[in-house]
Amino acid sequence: LGYKEIIEFEDYYGKYKRQDIAKAVVNKPIEATWKGTQWVYNPDVPKEEDPLFIAWKKMYRDLKLKQAFIRLEKLAALGKYGVLVMGFNDIKTKEDWREPLRTGDGLKLLYVSPYAENNAKILEWDNNTASPRYGKPTVYDLNYNSDSGGSITLHIHHTRIIHVPGECLTSDIEGTPVLEVVYNRLMDLEKVVGGSGEMFWRGARPGIGAEVDKDHKSDSGLRDRMEDQM
């Protein structure tokens, strides 16, 4: 039936961009989940006196966290995972991205940026069986085209990234893309809807036929003029 045996991220992304049903399958549950405002606070302290709530409210607004979380979840749904890169003020050079994040006074989160798995490939894994992070990523290879037209490549330590997998079953790192289970049906939909439209387009205007009565008499000039007009 022409179904793809191996479906790549670009296939899912292409369906999401060009097919309304595919986009709805991904978007509707996520947008319903993130309705309203997301608060972080201490329930035992009045909000106007709660430093946690005050700090969260400012960061939530300044960094546009709701939009970032929605984008992150959509990207994770399209592939096996998505990542949220956190830009702190301790970054001075490109090489600093590879260093672990060290908390302390003066550390500030400046921005967050969501990326899909095709832009944030796992470069290195923790292979130490005695490590609590055994089998998990340690460094990501981030590649993307900036809005200014340039290409950027960074090696980023895992402490500067929030890793969000899709629906997990056998792995904590790589989930199942949301569109995988319906991908064949999406192809069938294209065949039926597109095929019906194509058949109508080809058959709705088959052409014009004309036949002269067998008893009609005319000279060659009249016949030529009639053919030109037709």
Side-chain angles (χ1 to χ4, degrees):
L1 296 175
Y3 299 137
K4 294 178 70 72
E5 293 186 11
I6 299 176
I7 311 172
E8 305 290 348
F9 175 83
E10 290 72 17
D11 299 316
Y12 295 123
Y13 188 58
K15 280 282 188 286
Y16 178 80
K17 287 180 66 177
R18 296 294 300 272
Q19 195 176 40
D20 52 352
I21 301 300
K23 194 163 190 173
V25 168
V26 173
N27 283 4
K28 285 186 176 296
I30 295 173
E31 291 172 354
T33 299
W34 289 97
K35 278 186 177 180
T37 304
Q38 294 71 44
W39 299 120
V40 177
Y41 59 93
N42 183 347
D44 299 325
V45 179
K47 287 185 178 180
E48 62 273 10
E49 300 175 9
D50 182 8
L52 177 61
F53 174 76
I54 295 171
W56 168 262
K57 184 177 180 180
K58 184 178 187 307
M59 184 171 65
Y60 183 87
R61 180 187 65 244
D62 293 349
L63 302 186
K64 298 179 174 60
L65 290 184
K66 178 177 179 176
Q67 292 88 335
F69 292 155
I70 292 174
R71 290 168 56 198
L72 173 62
E73 191 169 356
K74 288 179 180 179
L75 292 173
L78 285 174
K80 298 175 181 177
Y81 63 86
V83 301
L84 189 70
V85 175
M86 299 178 290
F88 288 89
N89 62 342
D90 66 331
I91 298 295
K92 307 301 180 186
T93 67
K94 184 178 179 180
E95 288 68 30
D96 290 341
W97 283 101
R98 195 179 179 110
E99 297 299 320
L101 179 67
R102 293 179 174 85
T103 59
D105 293 339
L107 188 67
K108 183 179 180 181
L109 182 61
L110 303 177
Y111 58 88
V112 293
S113 299
Y115 294 97
E117 64 166 288
N118 66 323
N119 295 119
K121 299 185 183 301
I122 299 173
L123 183 64
E124 297 178 9
W125 299 79
D126 190 338
N127 296 317
N128 180 8
T129 55
S131 169
R133 286 189 53 83
Y134 172 67
K136 294 184 178 181
T138 56
V139 178
Y140 292 79
D141 183 21
L142 184 70
N143 290 276
Y144 68 97
N145 296 322
S146 66
D147 293 336
S148 61
S151 179
I152 297 176
T153 300
L154 297 172
H155 291 166
I156 305 179
H157 194 265
H158 73 86
T159 53
R160 300 178 183 276
I161 278 180
I162 296 177
H163 182 106
V164 179
E167 182 184 16
C168 293
L169 188 61
T170 59
S171 171
D172 294 330
I173 307 302
E174 295 185 343
T176 302
V178 168
L179 294 180
E180 181 175 325
V181 71
V182 297
Y183 197 84
N184 289 0
R185 300 293 78 79
L186 294 174
M187 291 184 64
D188 291 342
L189 183 61
E190 294 286 358
K191 295 174 188 176
V192 174
V193 177
S196 299
E198 183 72 10
M199 285 190 293
F200 177 82
W201 179 258
R202 292 178 178 273
R205 189 180 183 279
I208 297 176
E211 181 178 350
V212 178
D213 187 273
K214 59 182 179 59
D215 296 326
H216 178 74
K217 299 184 183 299
S218 62
D219 57 36
S220 59
L222 176 59
R223 287 196 299 271
D224 290 343
R225 291 193 301 272
M226 289 176 63
E227 288 179 1
D228 290 342
Q229 288 179 9
M230 292 178 63

